């Protein structure tokens, strides 16, 4: 008999998340840190994991563990089925044309490197241009730098507008038939800026370029439909979307993936092996050499299921409300903060980067004082060093929100910053 989830059936995209219930699924959040309840505002670095994901890992090792795709025994068949179930689930989650378009990798970084090596290696030549943006994480910059250097190609950068948005007009100016590839983040991990990927893809395709999207900060936080985005490749990391570390994925269009050579070679990715030559397995195995991270892929399936049950529209709405609350509260209580990122929340994910006293207080000092009050934020350049030169700041403090965060935690951050101001009052009040 089919079990109907009444609460879910009644849920609409407008139904607010039940954050109290969600928090009960995250055992790690129930602790105190430095004598204060933990306020975890570092989900852009990595998210916490619900019991369902932790239990999926335990279940896998206690009941199913076996290598996949090979042996003809029951555990192997079961492990293979669980592993492939995650592929199918992820394909549905991002609206891929089918599971064979999903390649499991270690993380977003590896997925982007795969495209640079296997697509870039065959399609980029001397004098070609690769367009990236000024808001790249190093993972979506360094692979293209290396590719350009190796091939005698050139990197071009899409600037940001004065309000930290993607500058679509400047992007259109950069495009020409010399541009072979456009790579951009769907959501910036520092500014929260949401890029207009559908428009970017449309314009890139007009000049014959392929579009690679770094989805590390979008897949966890908003509905993603790769068909609607119109891109050619999309990379993500499980650990930022309630899943375990050590798993990421690359989605690519079938025709492009089929035409690309393998990334790594060895077991599992072959068709026929002879002494001096070999042929490759069909997709997706061609790109998954060796024994993969089976247990973590299986647990990633539980994470996607958890997000699907919440509903990604609701996740996005929750973060918009937290961001609205945070920007309002911090602007009112802490006018001495410098904020980075679009003020327009339609163009902004749940990431809040700032400096105190126009950078007079070092971000590490801010983070350390907040940590003393149980508040976990990140300080530094967040793997986006060139972007910080555009922000005119060597580094910044970053608070980032997710499904388990509350408006009370936004208030705790604001109170935490009162303490920073108290300690650094003289530095903040010193004329700049
Ligand atoms: N891209 C963006 C926008 C990110 O925020 C991150 C991680 O913070 C990455 C890429 C790299 O992700 P990973 O370290 O999981 O490969």
């Amino acid at each position: 008999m089919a079990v109907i989830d009444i609460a879910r059936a009644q849920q609409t995209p407008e139904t607010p998340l039940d954050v109290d219930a969600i928090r009960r699924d995250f055992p790690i959040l129930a602790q105190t840190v430095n004598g204060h309840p933990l306020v975890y505002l570092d989900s852009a670095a990595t998210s916490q994991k619900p019991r369902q994901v932790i239990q999926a890992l335990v279940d896998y090792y206690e009941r199913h563990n076996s290598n996949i795709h090979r042996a003809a025994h029951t555990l192997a068949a079961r492990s293979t089925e669980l592993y492939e179930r995650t592929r199918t689930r992820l394909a549905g989650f991002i609206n891929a044309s089918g599971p064979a378009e999903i390649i499991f990798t270690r993380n977003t970084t590896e997925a982007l490197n795969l495209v640079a090596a296997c697509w870039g290696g065959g399609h980029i030549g001397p004098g070609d241009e690769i367009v990236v943006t000024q808001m790249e994480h190093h993972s979506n910059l360094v692979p293209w730098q290396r590719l350009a250097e190796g091939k005698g190609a050139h990197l071009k950068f899409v600037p940001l507008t004065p309000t930290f948005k993607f500058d679509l007009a400047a992007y259109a100016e950069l495009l020409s038939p010399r541009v072979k590839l456009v790579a951009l983040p769907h959501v910036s991990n520092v500014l929260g800026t949401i890029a207009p990927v559908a428009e970017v893809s449309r314009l890139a395709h007009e000049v014959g370029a392929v579009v690679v999207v770094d989805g590390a900060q979008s897949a966890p936080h908003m509905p993603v439909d790769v068909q609607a985005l119109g891109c050619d490749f999309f990379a993500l990391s499980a650990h930022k979307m309630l899943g375990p570390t050590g798993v990421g994925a690359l989605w690519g269009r079938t025709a492009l993936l089929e035409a690309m050579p393998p990334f790594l070679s060895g077991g599992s990715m072959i068709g026929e092996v002879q002494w001096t030559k070999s042929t490759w397995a069909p997709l997706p195995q061609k790109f998954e050499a060796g024994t993969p991270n089976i247990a973590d892929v299986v647990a990633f399936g539980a994470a996607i299921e958890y997000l699907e049950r919440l509903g990604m529209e609701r996740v996005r709405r929750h973060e918009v409300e937290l961001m609205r609350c945070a920007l309002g509260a911090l602007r009112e209580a802490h006018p001495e903060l410098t904020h980075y990122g679009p003020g327009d929340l339609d163009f902004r994910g749940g990431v809040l980067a700032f400096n105190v006293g126009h950078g007079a207080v070092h971000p590490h000092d801010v983070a350390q004082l907040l940590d003393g009050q149980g508040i976990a934020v990140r300080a530094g350049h967040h793997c986006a060093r060139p972007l910080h030169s555009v922000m005119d700041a060597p580094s910044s403090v970053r608070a980032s929100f997710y499904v388990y965060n509350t408006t009370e935690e936004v208030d705790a951050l604001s109170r935490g910053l009162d303490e920073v101001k108290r300690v650094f009052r003289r530095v903040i009040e010193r004329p700049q």
Side-chain angles (χ1 to χ4, degrees), residues 44-45 107-110 112 137 139 185 187 189 214 216-217 237 239-240:
N107 45 39
T108 300
T109 304
E110 188 175 276
L112 294 168
H137 185 283
S139 292
V187 175
N189 65 311
D214 168 357
Q217 298 292 346
S237 289
H239 71 94
K240 293 186 196 286

Side-chain angles (χ1 to χ4, degrees), residues 44-46 106-112 135-140 185-190 214-218 235-240 246-248 382-383 398:
T46 198
R106 282 189 305 143
N107 45 39
T108 300
T109 304
E110 188 175 276
L112 294 168
M135 57 183 171
E136 301 306 336
H137 185 283
H138 298 163
S139 292
N140 200 31
H186 195 177
V187 175
S188 158
N189 65 311
V190 179
D214 168 357
Q217 298 292 346
S218 64
L236 55 83
S237 289
H239 71 94
K240 293 186 196 286
V247 176
H382 321 300
C383 293
R398 182 184 72 186

Side-chain angles (χ1 to χ4, degrees), residues 127-143:
D128 285 346
E129 291 178 357
I130 297 171
V131 170
V132 297
T133 75
Q134 286 185 334
M135 57 183 171
E136 301 306 336
H137 185 283
H138 298 163
S139 292
N140 200 31
L141 175 61
V142 181

Side-chain angles (χ1 to χ4, degrees), residues 33-36 365-376 419:
V33 167
N34 296 319
H36 299 268
D365 291 332
V366 177
Q368 209 167 351
L369 279 170
L370 292 175
D371 182 53
Q373 300 165 79
I375 303 166
E419 175 64 4

